[in-house]
Amino acid sequence: MKRLVSPVLLLVIWEAASRLGFVNQHILPAPSAIAATLFELIWSLELLHHLAASMYRIFTGFAIAVVSSVVLGLLMARFHLIEMVFDPLVELLRPVSPLAIFPVAILWFGIGDASKIFLVALACSFPIILNTYAGVRAIDVNYIRAARSLGANGWEIIYKVIWVSCLPHVFTGLRISWGISLIVIVAAEMIGSDSGIGYLILDAQQTFRIERVYAGVFVIGVVGFATDQIFRYLRRALLPWHREMRE
């Protein structure tokens, strides 16, 4: 509950400023007006339609990125030849904006879901690859030697030593990538789509229904906050032995 204090305080100040006339409500509507619009979107199921479209694209692209990127990050960290082959490609593509690739993705996959899923998967891949790689390379080699001396075979070392040790880094990559997926999907849906939260926001802006714009932005923020809390919970549940240092 303490984490909600600052957002609630911001909403109270915002509402007060709107009611007292300190801000132009045509540009910055009051939270109560945005909440009413959000309720209308929920009641009409329009929000559910757009949110479901966005979540399908995000989850599919994110799942593809997780599976492929974790495997690639592990292989790059363990085998020098694979690192030599893929590291230049990763560093070459990583700085390129996913939206710059979107026209190419449309040519390859069309204007439907496939191009957006590809874009999400590509954008999410790099943080997961780099964090997985860093996690594996940070493992103390003495742990591996100790496991071998105790009779562990290759798969046991990979699963019980390498994988377990690098999981905190992997979770960090997942959290970063999930935030990136929300940014990318909204932008992609604004460029070329007839559904999704990004399309909802752009359509509202073009028809000057500002409350719907802020309602869409609010939904993105809530989804991002809620899913990040899920990632935090999963990390605590799956990695009870890992504790981050606090001052």
Side-chain angles (χ1 to χ4, degrees):
M1 293 298 294
K2 293 180 180 179
R3 296 177 63 84
L4 298 177
V5 172
S6 56
V8 171
L9 182 60
L10 174 63
L11 290 176
V12 170
I13 296 173
W14 181 357
E15 181 73 25
S18 297
R19 290 184 177 271
L20 294 174
F22 292 135
V23 296
N24 185 347
Q25 295 198 29
H26 294 292
I27 299 176
L28 188 63
S32 56
I34 297 171
T37 301
L38 183 61
F39 178 78
E40 292 176 2
L41 289 170
I42 295 173
W43 183 257
S44 66
L45 300 182
E46 184 178 356
L47 179 62
L48 179 62
H49 166 70
H50 291 296
L51 185 60
S54 294
M55 288 297 101
Y56 167 73
R57 296 159 184 161
I58 290 174
F59 276 117
T60 306
F62 186 73
I64 294 172
V66 170
V67 174
S68 59
S69 301
V70 167
V71 172
L72 182 58
L74 285 168
L75 293 176
M76 287 175 58
R78 292 295 294 164
F79 301 101
H80 182 65
L81 178 61
I82 295 178
E83 181 185 5
M84 289 286 292
V85 172
F86 285 98
D87 184 65
L89 296 176
V90 170
E91 295 305 320
L92 179 67
L93 294 174
R94 186 165 63 92
V96 179
S97 170
L99 298 182
I101 305 175
F102 192 44
V104 178
I106 292 177
L107 289 175
W108 289 353
F109 302 105
I111 197 68
D113 290 342
S115 58
K116 299 168 187 63
I117 291 171
F118 168 78
L119 209 64
V120 170
L122 180 65
C124 292
S125 295
F126 303 117
I128 301 174
I129 292 173
L130 295 178
N131 277 276
T132 303
Y133 176 88
V136 175
R137 296 302 293 265
I139 298 172
D140 191 338
V141 68
N142 290 321
Y143 293 162
I144 298 176
R145 292 171 179 168
R148 284 174 177 164
S149 67
L150 292 173
N153 58 37
W155 285 109
E156 288 175 330
I157 291 174
I158 291 175
Y159 177 70
K160 295 183 179 181
V161 180
I162 296 175
W163 175 241
V164 172
S165 298
C166 75
L167 266 179
H169 290 78
V170 173
F171 264 94
T172 300
L174 296 181
R175 289 178 63 192
I176 295 172
S177 293
W178 181 258
I180 292 174
S181 71
L182 292 172
I183 297 171
V184 169
I185 197 61
V186 170
E189 289 170 348
M190 286 182 174
I191 295 174
S193 182
D194 58 359
S195 63
I197 297 297
Y199 169 79
L200 173 68
I201 293 173
L202 182 64
D203 180 67
Q205 183 269 331
Q206 291 175 339
T207 55
F208 209 72
R209 291 180 287 180
I210 304 303
E211 290 84 359
R212 291 169 67 98
V213 173
Y214 284 98
V217 172
F218 176 76
V219 168
I220 296 168
V222 170
V223 170
F225 179 82
T227 48
D228 186 69
Q229 296 306 304
I230 293 174
F231 277 119
R232 289 170 180 262
Y233 171 78
L234 288 175
R235 185 177 61 183
R236 289 193 299 267
L238 297 176
L239 310 176
W241 46 267
H242 177 69
R243 290 291 181 270
E244 294 180 345
M245 184 181 68
R246 292 183 179 271
E247 295 289 344

